[in-house]
mmCIF file of all heavy atoms in Angstrom:
data_model
loop_
_atom_site.group_PDB
_atom_site.id
_atom_site.type_symbol
_atom_site.label_atom_id
_atom_site.label_comp_id
_atom_site.label_asym_id
_atom_site.label_seq_id
_atom_site.Cartn_x
_atom_site.Cartn_y
_atom_site.Cartn_z
ATOM 1 N N TRP A 28 -133.393 23.750 -89.291
ATOM 2 C CA TRP A 28 -132.709 24.184 -88.068
ATOM 3 C C TRP A 28 -132.271 23.022 -87.195
ATOM 4 O O TRP A 28 -131.804 23.222 -86.078
ATOM 5 C CB TRP A 28 -133.615 25.100 -87.238
ATOM 6 C CG TRP A 28 -134.049 26.308 -87.982
ATOM 7 C CD1 TRP A 28 -135.323 26.665 -88.285
ATOM 8 C CD2 TRP A 28 -133.223 27.328 -88.539
ATOM 9 N NE1 TRP A 28 -135.331 27.822 -88.996
ATOM 10 C CE2 TRP A 28 -134.053 28.258 -89.166
ATOM 11 C CE3 TRP A 28 -131.842 27.536 -88.587
ATOM 12 C CZ2 TRP A 28 -133.563 29.377 -89.816
ATOM 13 C CZ3 TRP A 28 -131.362 28.652 -89.237
ATOM 14 C CH2 TRP A 28 -132.220 29.562 -89.836
ATOM 15 N N ASN A 29 -132.414 21.803 -87.659
ATOM 16 C CA ASN A 29 -132.048 20.639 -86.866
ATOM 17 C C ASN A 29 -130.531 20.424 -86.934
ATOM 18 O O ASN A 29 -129.991 20.025 -87.957
ATOM 19 C CB ASN A 29 -132.783 19.401 -87.381
ATOM 20 C CG ASN A 29 -132.616 18.225 -86.461
ATOM 21 O OD1 ASN A 29 -131.690 18.166 -85.650
ATOM 22 N ND2 ASN A 29 -133.512 17.274 -86.586
ATOM 23 N N ILE A 30 -129.866 20.665 -85.831
ATOM 24 C CA ILE A 30 -128.409 20.559 -85.774
ATOM 25 C C ILE A 30 -127.953 19.114 -85.968
ATOM 26 O O ILE A 30 -126.932 18.850 -86.596
ATOM 27 C CB ILE A 30 -127.882 21.112 -84.435
ATOM 28 C CG1 ILE A 30 -128.140 22.610 -84.361
ATOM 29 C CG2 ILE A 30 -126.394 20.831 -84.271
ATOM 30 C CD1 ILE A 30 -127.822 23.217 -83.022
ATOM 31 N N ASP A 31 -128.719 18.173 -85.456
ATOM 32 C CA ASP A 31 -128.297 16.767 -85.483
ATOM 33 C C ASP A 31 -128.349 16.127 -86.864
ATOM 34 O O ASP A 31 -127.627 15.174 -87.123
ATOM 35 C CB ASP A 31 -129.143 15.949 -84.514
ATOM 36 C CG ASP A 31 -128.888 16.359 -83.075
ATOM 37 O OD1 ASP A 31 -127.740 16.703 -82.750
ATOM 38 O OD2 ASP A 31 -129.850 16.351 -82.282
ATOM 39 N N THR A 32 -129.187 16.640 -87.763
ATOM 40 C CA THR A 32 -129.330 15.996 -89.064
ATOM 41 C C THR A 32 -128.731 16.790 -90.221
ATOM 42 O O THR A 32 -128.500 16.228 -91.277
ATOM 43 C CB THR A 32 -130.814 15.724 -89.383
ATOM 44 O OG1 THR A 32 -131.522 16.961 -89.361
ATOM 45 C CG2 THR A 32 -131.405 14.754 -88.387
ATOM 46 N N ASN A 33 -128.505 18.063 -90.045
ATOM 47 C CA ASN A 33 -127.977 18.880 -91.140
ATOM 48 C C ASN A 33 -126.489 18.652 -91.344
ATOM 49 O O ASN A 33 -125.796 18.137 -90.470
ATOM 50 C CB ASN A 33 -128.241 20.366 -90.884
ATOM 51 C CG ASN A 33 -129.684 20.725 -91.126
ATOM 52 O OD1 ASN A 33 -130.342 20.143 -91.973
ATOM 53 N ND2 ASN A 33 -130.185 21.687 -90.385
ATOM 54 N N THR A 34 -126.010 19.047 -92.512
ATOM 55 C CA THR A 34 -124.594 18.925 -92.836
ATOM 56 C C THR A 34 -124.041 20.272 -93.256
ATOM 57 O O THR A 34 -124.726 21.280 -93.182
ATOM 58 C CB THR A 34 -124.378 17.896 -93.962
ATOM 59 O OG1 THR A 34 -125.158 18.294 -95.087
ATOM 60 C CG2 THR A 34 -124.786 16.503 -93.519
ATOM 61 N N GLN A 35 -122.840 20.289 -93.718
ATOM 62 C CA GLN A 35 -122.002 21.454 -93.977
ATOM 63 C C GLN A 35 -122.712 22.792 -94.163
ATOM 64 O O GLN A 35 -122.649 23.646 -93.291
ATOM 65 C CB GLN A 35 -121.112 21.188 -95.180
ATOM 66 C CG GLN A 35 -120.012 20.226 -94.876
ATOM 67 C CD GLN A 35 -119.113 20.015 -96.064
ATOM 68 O OE1 GLN A 35 -119.526 20.122 -97.202
ATOM 69 N NE2 GLN A 35 -117.868 19.704 -95.785
ATOM 70 N N GLU A 36 -123.333 23.018 -95.300
ATOM 71 C CA GLU A 36 -123.860 24.353 -95.578
ATOM 72 C C GLU A 36 -124.988 24.744 -94.632
ATOM 73 O O GLU A 36 -125.053 25.876 -94.180
ATOM 74 C CB GLU A 36 -124.324 24.464 -97.038
ATOM 75 C CG GLU A 36 -124.633 25.889 -97.457
ATOM 76 C CD GLU A 36 -123.494 26.878 -97.196
ATOM 77 O OE1 GLU A 36 -122.328 26.536 -97.430
ATOM 78 O OE2 GLU A 36 -123.781 28.011 -96.745
ATOM 79 N N GLN A 37 -125.864 23.791 -94.305
ATOM 80 C CA GLN A 37 -126.934 24.099 -93.362
ATOM 81 C C GLN A 37 -126.355 24.411 -91.982
ATOM 82 O O GLN A 37 -126.839 25.302 -91.295
ATOM 83 C CB GLN A 37 -127.933 22.932 -93.257
ATOM 84 C CG GLN A 37 -128.714 22.663 -94.506
ATOM 85 C CD GLN A 37 -128.058 21.599 -95.382
ATOM 86 O OE1 GLN A 37 -126.942 21.157 -95.138
ATOM 87 N NE2 GLN A 37 -128.754 21.200 -96.422
ATOM 88 N N LEU A 38 -125.317 23.674 -91.583
ATOM 89 C CA LEU A 38 -124.668 23.965 -90.301
ATOM 90 C C LEU A 38 -123.994 25.331 -90.334
ATOM 91 O O LEU A 38 -123.980 26.047 -89.325
ATOM 92 C CB LEU A 38 -123.647 22.873 -89.966
ATOM 93 C CG LEU A 38 -124.213 21.525 -89.566
ATOM 94 C CD1 LEU A 38 -123.097 20.524 -89.365
ATOM 95 C CD2 LEU A 38 -125.072 21.627 -88.330
ATOM 96 N N ASN A 39 -123.433 25.716 -91.468
ATOM 97 C CA ASN A 39 -122.823 27.040 -91.580
ATOM 98 C C ASN A 39 -123.861 28.143 -91.420
ATOM 99 O O ASN A 39 -123.584 29.187 -90.823
ATOM 100 C CB ASN A 39 -122.099 27.193 -92.917
ATOM 101 C CG ASN A 39 -120.812 26.403 -92.948
ATOM 102 O OD1 ASN A 39 -120.212 26.122 -91.917
ATOM 103 N ND2 ASN A 39 -120.381 26.034 -94.141
ATOM 104 N N VAL A 40 -125.068 27.926 -91.929
ATOM 105 C CA VAL A 40 -126.151 28.912 -91.758
ATOM 106 C C VAL A 40 -126.501 29.034 -90.284
ATOM 107 O O VAL A 40 -126.619 30.139 -89.747
ATOM 108 C CB VAL A 40 -127.394 28.508 -92.592
ATOM 109 C CG1 VAL A 40 -128.588 29.374 -92.236
ATOM 110 C CG2 VAL A 40 -127.091 28.602 -94.071
ATOM 111 N N ILE A 41 -126.640 27.908 -89.606
ATOM 112 C CA ILE A 41 -126.926 27.941 -88.165
ATOM 113 C C ILE A 41 -125.773 28.613 -87.429
ATOM 114 O O ILE A 41 -125.985 29.403 -86.508
ATOM 115 C CB ILE A 41 -127.172 26.513 -87.629
ATOM 116 C CG1 ILE A 41 -128.429 25.921 -88.280
ATOM 117 C CG2 ILE A 41 -127.315 26.516 -86.116
ATOM 118 C CD1 ILE A 41 -128.628 24.441 -88.025
ATOM 119 N N GLY A 42 -124.542 28.324 -87.834
ATOM 120 C CA GLY A 42 -123.373 28.943 -87.215
ATOM 121 C C GLY A 42 -123.369 30.457 -87.366
ATOM 122 O O GLY A 42 -122.988 31.183 -86.449
ATOM 123 N N ARG A 43 -123.791 30.960 -88.517
ATOM 124 C CA ARG A 43 -123.860 32.412 -88.708
ATOM 125 C C ARG A 43 -124.917 33.029 -87.800
ATOM 126 O O ARG A 43 -124.737 34.128 -87.287
ATOM 127 C CB ARG A 43 -124.143 32.746 -90.170
ATOM 128 C CG ARG A 43 -122.922 32.570 -91.060
ATOM 129 C CD ARG A 43 -123.120 33.192 -92.429
ATOM 130 N NE ARG A 43 -124.166 32.558 -93.215
ATOM 131 C CZ ARG A 43 -123.996 31.504 -94.006
ATOM 132 N NH1 ARG A 43 -122.802 30.951 -94.108
ATOM 133 N NH2 ARG A 43 -125.000 31.010 -94.696
ATOM 134 N N ILE A 44 -126.009 32.313 -87.585
ATOM 135 C CA ILE A 44 -127.064 32.823 -86.701
ATOM 136 C C ILE A 44 -126.582 32.840 -85.254
ATOM 137 O O ILE A 44 -126.836 33.779 -84.511
ATOM 138 C CB ILE A 44 -128.339 31.964 -86.851
ATOM 139 C CG1 ILE A 44 -128.935 32.194 -88.237
ATOM 140 C CG2 ILE A 44 -129.353 32.281 -85.773
ATOM 141 C CD1 ILE A 44 -130.013 31.219 -88.619
ATOM 142 N N VAL A 45 -125.873 31.797 -84.851
ATOM 143 C CA VAL A 45 -125.395 31.692 -83.478
ATOM 144 C C VAL A 45 -124.096 32.475 -83.279
ATOM 145 O O VAL A 45 -123.606 32.581 -82.171
ATOM 146 C CB VAL A 45 -125.158 30.210 -83.097
ATOM 147 C CG1 VAL A 45 -125.075 30.040 -81.602
ATOM 148 C CG2 VAL A 45 -126.225 29.310 -83.610
ATOM 149 N N VAL A 46 -123.546 33.002 -84.336
ATOM 150 C CA VAL A 46 -122.313 33.775 -84.378
ATOM 151 C C VAL A 46 -121.101 32.904 -84.078
ATOM 152 O O VAL A 46 -120.290 33.199 -83.213
ATOM 153 C CB VAL A 46 -122.359 35.010 -83.447
ATOM 154 C CG1 VAL A 46 -121.184 35.917 -83.689
ATOM 155 C CG2 VAL A 46 -123.648 35.773 -83.603
ATOM 156 N N ILE A 47 -121.009 31.791 -84.785
ATOM 157 C CA ILE A 47 -119.815 30.955 -84.778
ATOM 158 C C ILE A 47 -119.507 30.633 -86.230
ATOM 159 O O ILE A 47 -120.274 29.942 -86.875
ATOM 160 C CB ILE A 47 -120.013 29.634 -84.011
ATOM 161 C CG1 ILE A 47 -120.205 29.886 -82.540
ATOM 162 C CG2 ILE A 47 -118.838 28.712 -84.228
ATOM 163 C CD1 ILE A 47 -120.376 28.626 -81.731
ATOM 164 N N ASP A 48 -118.393 31.150 -86.717
ATOM 165 C CA ASP A 48 -117.950 30.741 -88.042
ATOM 166 C C ASP A 48 -117.182 29.448 -87.880
ATOM 167 O O ASP A 48 -116.490 29.239 -86.888
ATOM 168 C CB ASP A 48 -117.058 31.816 -88.670
ATOM 169 C CG ASP A 48 -117.863 33.055 -89.019
ATOM 170 O OD1 ASP A 48 -119.058 32.908 -89.335
ATOM 171 O OD2 ASP A 48 -117.310 34.167 -88.968
ATOM 172 N N GLN A 49 -117.266 28.600 -88.858
ATOM 173 C CA GLN A 49 -116.633 27.286 -88.731
ATOM 174 C C GLN A 49 -115.165 27.354 -89.117
ATOM 175 O O GLN A 49 -114.835 27.460 -90.285
ATOM 176 C CB GLN A 49 -117.358 26.278 -89.600
ATOM 177 C CG GLN A 49 -116.820 24.891 -89.421
ATOM 178 C CD GLN A 49 -117.694 23.865 -90.114
ATOM 179 O OE1 GLN A 49 -118.575 24.202 -90.868
ATOM 180 N NE2 GLN A 49 -117.432 22.616 -89.844
ATOM 181 N N PRO A 50 -114.276 27.308 -88.137
ATOM 182 C CA PRO A 50 -112.842 27.260 -88.455
ATOM 183 C C PRO A 50 -112.435 25.834 -88.822
ATOM 184 O O PRO A 50 -112.140 25.026 -87.948
ATOM 185 C CB PRO A 50 -112.188 27.722 -87.160
ATOM 186 C CG PRO A 50 -113.164 27.386 -86.093
ATOM 187 C CD PRO A 50 -114.524 27.387 -86.709
ATOM 188 N N TRP A 51 -112.478 25.486 -90.100
ATOM 189 C CA TRP A 51 -112.232 24.106 -90.534
ATOM 190 C C TRP A 51 -110.871 23.591 -90.102
ATOM 191 O O TRP A 51 -110.704 22.417 -89.828
ATOM 192 C CB TRP A 51 -112.372 23.983 -92.052
ATOM 193 C CG TRP A 51 -113.787 23.894 -92.464
ATOM 194 C CD1 TRP A 51 -114.523 24.861 -93.067
ATOM 195 C CD2 TRP A 51 -114.675 22.798 -92.265
ATOM 196 N NE1 TRP A 51 -115.814 24.441 -93.256
ATOM 197 C CE2 TRP A 51 -115.928 23.166 -92.782
ATOM 198 C CE3 TRP A 51 -114.542 21.540 -91.703
ATOM 199 C CZ2 TRP A 51 -117.028 22.328 -92.752
ATOM 200 C CZ3 TRP A 51 -115.636 20.704 -91.674
ATOM 201 C CH2 TRP A 51 -116.861 21.099 -92.194
ATOM 202 N N GLU A 52 -109.866 24.486 -90.025
ATOM 203 C CA GLU A 52 -108.554 23.980 -89.618
ATOM 204 C C GLU A 52 -108.547 23.547 -88.158
ATOM 205 O O GLU A 52 -107.786 22.689 -87.762
ATOM 206 C CB GLU A 52 -107.434 24.950 -89.897
ATOM 207 C CG GLU A 52 -107.501 26.439 -89.717
ATOM 208 C CD GLU A 52 -108.622 27.251 -90.349
ATOM 209 O OE1 GLU A 52 -109.077 27.001 -91.454
ATOM 210 O OE2 GLU A 52 -109.033 28.181 -89.659
ATOM 211 N N VAL A 53 -109.456 24.113 -87.338
ATOM 212 C CA VAL A 53 -109.540 23.720 -85.926
ATOM 213 C C VAL A 53 -110.538 22.578 -85.745
ATOM 214 O O VAL A 53 -110.273 21.606 -85.060
ATOM 215 C CB VAL A 53 -109.971 24.926 -85.058
ATOM 216 C CG1 VAL A 53 -110.169 24.517 -83.615
ATOM 217 C CG2 VAL A 53 -108.961 26.038 -85.170
ATOM 218 N N ILE A 54 -111.689 22.683 -86.404
ATOM 219 C CA ILE A 54 -112.766 21.736 -86.168
ATOM 220 C C ILE A 54 -112.652 20.515 -87.070
ATOM 221 O O ILE A 54 -112.540 19.405 -86.600
ATOM 222 C CB ILE A 54 -114.130 22.420 -86.361
ATOM 223 C CG1 ILE A 54 -114.281 23.507 -85.314
ATOM 224 C CG2 ILE A 54 -115.250 21.414 -86.242
ATOM 225 C CD1 ILE A 54 -115.480 24.349 -85.473
ATOM 226 N N GLY A 55 -112.718 20.720 -88.368
ATOM 227 C CA GLY A 55 -112.476 19.638 -89.300
ATOM 228 C C GLY A 55 -113.652 18.803 -89.737
ATOM 229 O O GLY A 55 -113.667 18.316 -90.843
ATOM 230 N N ASP A 56 -114.669 18.569 -88.901
ATOM 231 C CA ASP A 56 -115.777 17.718 -89.327
ATOM 232 C C ASP A 56 -117.101 18.227 -88.767
ATOM 233 O O ASP A 56 -117.143 19.055 -87.866
ATOM 234 C CB ASP A 56 -115.543 16.265 -88.896
ATOM 235 C CG ASP A 56 -115.521 16.101 -87.409
ATOM 236 O OD1 ASP A 56 -114.858 16.909 -86.727
ATOM 237 O OD2 ASP A 56 -116.156 15.188 -86.904
ATOM 238 N N ASP A 57 -118.189 17.701 -89.319
ATOM 239 C CA ASP A 57 -119.528 18.150 -88.943
ATOM 240 C C ASP A 57 -119.879 17.795 -87.502
ATOM 241 O O ASP A 57 -120.540 18.565 -86.815
ATOM 242 C CB ASP A 57 -120.577 17.561 -89.886
ATOM 243 C CG ASP A 57 -120.564 18.217 -91.254
ATOM 244 O OD1 ASP A 57 -119.961 19.299 -91.387
ATOM 245 O OD2 ASP A 57 -121.150 17.650 -92.196
ATOM 246 N N GLU A 58 -119.454 16.625 -87.027
ATOM 247 C CA GLU A 58 -119.794 16.209 -85.661
ATOM 248 C C GLU A 58 -119.224 17.185 -84.632
ATOM 249 O O GLU A 58 -119.897 17.555 -83.675
ATOM 250 C CB GLU A 58 -119.293 14.789 -85.388
ATOM 251 C CG GLU A 58 -120.075 13.717 -86.100
ATOM 252 C CD GLU A 58 -121.565 13.762 -85.786
ATOM 253 O OE1 GLU A 58 -121.940 13.900 -84.611
ATOM 254 O OE2 GLU A 58 -122.364 13.661 -86.732
ATOM 255 N N THR A 59 -117.987 17.592 -84.833
ATOM 256 C CA THR A 59 -117.363 18.535 -83.914
ATOM 257 C C THR A 59 -118.049 19.895 -84.002
ATOM 258 O O THR A 59 -118.270 20.556 -82.980
ATOM 259 C CB THR A 59 -115.864 18.675 -84.237
ATOM 260 O OG1 THR A 59 -115.291 17.375 -84.257
ATOM 261 C CG2 THR A 59 -115.152 19.509 -83.204
ATOM 262 N N TYR A 60 -118.382 20.311 -85.212
ATOM 263 C CA TYR A 60 -119.064 21.594 -85.390
ATOM 264 C C TYR A 60 -120.445 21.558 -84.747
ATOM 265 O O TYR A 60 -120.871 22.532 -84.129
ATOM 266 C CB TYR A 60 -119.159 21.914 -86.877
ATOM 267 C CG TYR A 60 -119.556 23.341 -87.173
ATOM 268 C CD1 TYR A 60 -119.032 24.408 -86.454
ATOM 269 C CD2 TYR A 60 -120.457 23.625 -88.188
ATOM 270 C CE1 TYR A 60 -119.389 25.711 -86.737
ATOM 271 C CE2 TYR A 60 -120.812 24.925 -88.474
ATOM 272 C CZ TYR A 60 -120.280 25.961 -87.750
ATOM 273 O OH TYR A 60 -120.640 27.249 -88.032
ATOM 274 N N ARG A 61 -121.148 20.425 -84.826
ATOM 275 C CA ARG A 61 -122.440 20.289 -84.153
ATOM 276 C C ARG A 61 -122.281 20.473 -82.650
ATOM 277 O O ARG A 61 -123.079 21.150 -82.007
ATOM 278 C CB ARG A 61 -123.041 18.918 -84.435
ATOM 279 C CG ARG A 61 -123.630 18.761 -85.787
ATOM 280 C CD ARG A 61 -124.326 17.404 -85.926
ATOM 281 N NE ARG A 61 -124.807 17.261 -87.271
ATOM 282 C CZ ARG A 61 -124.219 16.542 -88.210
ATOM 283 N NH1 ARG A 61 -123.146 15.839 -87.930
ATOM 284 N NH2 ARG A 61 -124.717 16.483 -89.423
ATOM 285 N N LEU A 62 -121.250 19.865 -82.095
ATOM 286 C CA LEU A 62 -120.981 19.983 -80.665
ATOM 287 C C LEU A 62 -120.687 21.431 -80.289
ATOM 288 O O LEU A 62 -121.178 21.932 -79.275
ATOM 289 C CB LEU A 62 -119.805 19.077 -80.291
ATOM 290 C CG LEU A 62 -119.477 18.939 -78.826
ATOM 291 C CD1 LEU A 62 -120.625 18.294 -78.071
ATOM 292 C CD2 LEU A 62 -118.220 18.116 -78.658
ATOM 293 N N LEU A 63 -119.913 22.108 -81.119
ATOM 294 C CA LEU A 63 -119.595 23.510 -80.876
ATOM 295 C C LEU A 63 -120.850 24.375 -80.955
ATOM 296 O O LEU A 63 -121.055 25.267 -80.114
ATOM 297 C CB LEU A 63 -118.544 23.980 -81.874
ATOM 298 C CG LEU A 63 -117.999 25.387 -81.705
ATOM 299 C CD1 LEU A 63 -117.328 25.533 -80.351
ATOM 300 C CD2 LEU A 63 -117.006 25.696 -82.813
ATOM 301 N N LEU A 64 -121.707 24.127 -81.933
ATOM 302 C CA LEU A 64 -122.959 24.880 -82.059
ATOM 303 C C LEU A 64 -123.858 24.659 -80.846
ATOM 304 O O LEU A 64 -124.419 25.608 -80.294
ATOM 305 C CB LEU A 64 -123.699 24.473 -83.334
ATOM 306 C CG LEU A 64 -123.103 24.950 -84.649
ATOM 307 C CD1 LEU A 64 -123.811 24.289 -85.815
ATOM 308 C CD2 LEU A 64 -123.166 26.454 -84.764
ATOM 309 N N LYS A 65 -123.989 23.396 -80.427
ATOM 310 C CA LYS A 65 -124.806 23.102 -79.248
ATOM 311 C C LYS A 65 -124.252 23.798 -78.006
ATOM 312 O O LYS A 65 -125.008 24.300 -77.171
ATOM 313 C CB LYS A 65 -124.882 21.592 -79.013
ATOM 314 C CG LYS A 65 -125.809 20.869 -79.936
ATOM 315 C CD LYS A 65 -125.873 19.401 -79.550
ATOM 316 C CE LYS A 65 -126.935 18.675 -80.318
ATOM 317 N NZ LYS A 65 -127.059 17.272 -79.872
ATOM 318 N N SER A 66 -122.930 23.836 -77.885
ATOM 319 C CA SER A 66 -122.300 24.495 -76.745
ATOM 320 C C SER A 66 -122.611 25.976 -76.729
ATOM 321 O O SER A 66 -122.947 26.543 -75.686
ATOM 322 C CB SER A 66 -120.789 24.289 -76.782
ATOM 323 O OG SER A 66 -120.466 22.938 -76.709
ATOM 324 N N LYS A 67 -122.502 26.610 -77.880
ATOM 325 C CA LYS A 67 -122.766 28.050 -77.969
ATOM 326 C C LYS A 67 -124.233 28.352 -77.684
ATOM 327 O O LYS A 67 -124.553 29.301 -76.962
ATOM 328 C CB LYS A 67 -122.362 28.544 -79.364
ATOM 329 C CG LYS A 67 -122.591 30.007 -79.597
ATOM 330 C CD LYS A 67 -121.648 30.865 -78.796
ATOM 331 C CE LYS A 67 -121.889 32.322 -79.158
ATOM 332 N NZ LYS A 67 -120.759 33.152 -79.054
ATOM 333 N N ILE A 68 -125.143 27.540 -78.220
ATOM 334 C CA ILE A 68 -126.575 27.737 -77.968
ATOM 335 C C ILE A 68 -126.878 27.550 -76.486
ATOM 336 O O ILE A 68 -127.619 28.326 -75.886
ATOM 337 C CB ILE A 68 -127.410 26.772 -78.839
ATOM 338 C CG1 ILE A 68 -127.305 27.187 -80.309
ATOM 339 C CG2 ILE A 68 -128.858 26.739 -78.390
ATOM 340 C CD1 ILE A 68 -127.838 26.163 -81.278
ATOM 341 N N ALA A 69 -126.296 26.529 -75.871
ATOM 342 C CA ALA A 69 -126.526 26.274 -74.443
ATOM 343 C C ALA A 69 -126.009 27.432 -73.595
ATOM 344 O O ALA A 69 -126.667 27.850 -72.646
ATOM 345 C CB ALA A 69 -125.853 24.971 -74.031
ATOM 346 N N LYS A 70 -124.839 27.959 -73.941
ATOM 347 C CA LYS A 70 -124.290 29.076 -73.175
ATOM 348 C C LYS A 70 -125.147 30.324 -73.329
ATOM 349 O O LYS A 70 -125.397 31.043 -72.372
ATOM 350 C CB LYS A 70 -122.855 29.366 -73.603
ATOM 351 C CG LYS A 70 -122.208 30.445 -72.752
ATOM 352 C CD LYS A 70 -120.752 30.618 -73.059
ATOM 353 C CE LYS A 70 -120.137 31.642 -72.120
ATOM 354 N NZ LYS A 70 -118.718 31.800 -72.357
ATOM 355 N N ASN A 71 -125.626 30.569 -74.540
ATOM 356 C CA ASN A 71 -126.450 31.753 -74.782
ATOM 357 C C ASN A 71 -127.808 31.678 -74.090
ATOM 358 O O ASN A 71 -128.404 32.715 -73.806
ATOM 359 C CB ASN A 71 -126.673 31.956 -76.279
ATOM 360 C CG ASN A 71 -125.437 32.434 -76.979
ATOM 361 O OD1 ASN A 71 -124.471 32.862 -76.364
ATOM 362 N ND2 ASN A 71 -125.446 32.355 -78.298
ATOM 363 N N ASN A 72 -128.311 30.473 -73.837
ATOM 364 C CA ASN A 72 -129.643 30.322 -73.264
ATOM 365 C C ASN A 72 -129.643 29.930 -71.790
ATOM 366 O O ASN A 72 -130.696 29.688 -71.228
ATOM 367 C CB ASN A 72 -130.439 29.279 -74.058
ATOM 368 C CG ASN A 72 -130.787 29.799 -75.423
ATOM 369 O OD1 ASN A 72 -131.422 30.828 -75.557
ATOM 370 N ND2 ASN A 72 -130.347 29.100 -76.446
ATOM 371 N N SER A 73 -128.481 29.846 -71.173
ATOM 372 C CA SER A 73 -128.405 29.413 -69.782
ATOM 373 C C SER A 73 -128.546 30.594 -68.838
ATOM 374 O O SER A 73 -128.136 31.711 -69.139
ATOM 375 C CB SER A 73 -127.071 28.714 -69.526
ATOM 376 O OG SER A 73 -126.962 28.369 -68.166
ATOM 377 N N ASP A 74 -129.105 30.313 -67.665
ATOM 378 C CA ASP A 74 -129.193 31.350 -66.635
ATOM 379 C C ASP A 74 -128.006 31.284 -65.669
ATOM 380 O O ASP A 74 -127.950 32.040 -64.708
ATOM 381 C CB ASP A 74 -130.507 31.238 -65.869
ATOM 382 C CG ASP A 74 -130.700 29.878 -65.231
ATOM 383 O OD1 ASP A 74 -129.805 29.017 -65.339
ATOM 384 O OD2 ASP A 74 -131.762 29.666 -64.623
#
């Protein structure tokens, strides 16, 4: 579940849990997808 160290397929699993599918044509790389995942997690857990 470590967003910072995982790559493609593991990030896709986390993305399915957080409900973000990876739009490769928009995102393109793992670093951007990590940022998007962190953003979604932060929004879901913020008060």
Side-chain angles (χ1 to χ4, degrees):
W28 302 119
N29 189 340
I30 294 173
D31 294 325
T32 58
N33 285 328
T34 56
Q35 287 182 331
E36 191 53 41
Q37 294 93 352
L38 288 176
N39 287 335
V40 170
I41 296 169
R43 284 193 295 273
I44 291 168
V45 197
V46 190
I47 293 181
D48 291 329
Q49 185 171 10
W51 280 107
E52 39 308 322
V53 176
I54 296 173
D56 64 314
D57 286 345
E58 288 304 315
T59 307
Y60 193 42
R61 284 186 184 102
L62 187 63
L63 185 61
L64 288 171
K65 283 184 172 184
S66 299
K67 180 70 176 210
I68 291 168
K70 185 173 184 178
N71 288 346
N72 290 302
S73 176
D74 57 2

